[in-house]
């Protein structure tokens, strides 16, 4: 499940897993798993493709459905969409 708190950690390290691995606090590593990190990273990449009109409407629809399924609420979904614009 993707939460706002996990997105805060992801953004703190600019989506760079190596930075997180080297500089992340122990408490952060307990909170966000490698699987969480790679799911968020993949979704951010997908959103960038969509935002740059490099994805089909069907692909975009599937990505947004997946995001809705994985995010804990609508505000987390919107934060994730915005995160792709800033990273």
């Amino acid at each position: 499940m993707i939460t706002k708190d996990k997105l805060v950690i992801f953004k703190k390290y600019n989506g760079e897993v190596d930075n997180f691995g080297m500089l992340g606090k122990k408490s952060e590593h307990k909170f966000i798993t490698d699987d969480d990190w790679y799911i968020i990273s993949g979704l951010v990449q997908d959103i960038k493709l969509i935002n740059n009109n490099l994805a089909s409407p069907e692909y975009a629809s599937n990505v947004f459905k997946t995001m809705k399924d994985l995010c804990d609420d609508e505000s987390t979904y919107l934060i994730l969409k915005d995160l792709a614009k800033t990273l």
Side-chain angles (χ1 to χ4, degrees):
M1 182 69 46
I2 299 172
T3 65
K4 291 175 203 76
D5 293 332
K6 290 177 182 180
L7 294 179
V8 166
I9 294 169
F10 187 86
K11 185 175 181 177
K12 176 180 177 182
Y13 297 98
N14 294 316
E16 298 290 334
V17 72
D18 291 337
N19 289 345
F20 177 64
M22 291 184 294
L23 304 171
K25 297 177 184 175
K26 204 179 260 191
S27 60
E28 293 171 328
H29 282 275
K30 287 181 182 178
F31 187 71
I32 185 170
T33 66
D34 289 344
D35 287 341
D36 292 330
W37 192 277
Y38 289 110
I39 288 169
I40 295 167
S41 180
L43 290 170
V44 166
Q45 288 176 24
D46 288 340
I47 296 165
K48 286 181 179 187
L49 289 174
I50 294 164
N51 288 346
N52 288 308
N53 297 315
L54 298 172
S56 70
E58 295 83 15
Y59 187 82
S61 177
N62 286 335
V63 169
F64 294 137
K65 182 187 179 317
T66 298
M67 287 171 54
K68 285 191 185 255
D69 291 344
L70 294 176
C71 290
D72 63 345
D73 62 30
E74 183 71 18
S75 63
T76 302
Y77 171 85
L78 295 173
I79 291 168
L80 180 55
K81 278 183 76 173
D82 285 341
L83 186 61
K85 296 175 187 175
T86 62
L87 294 179

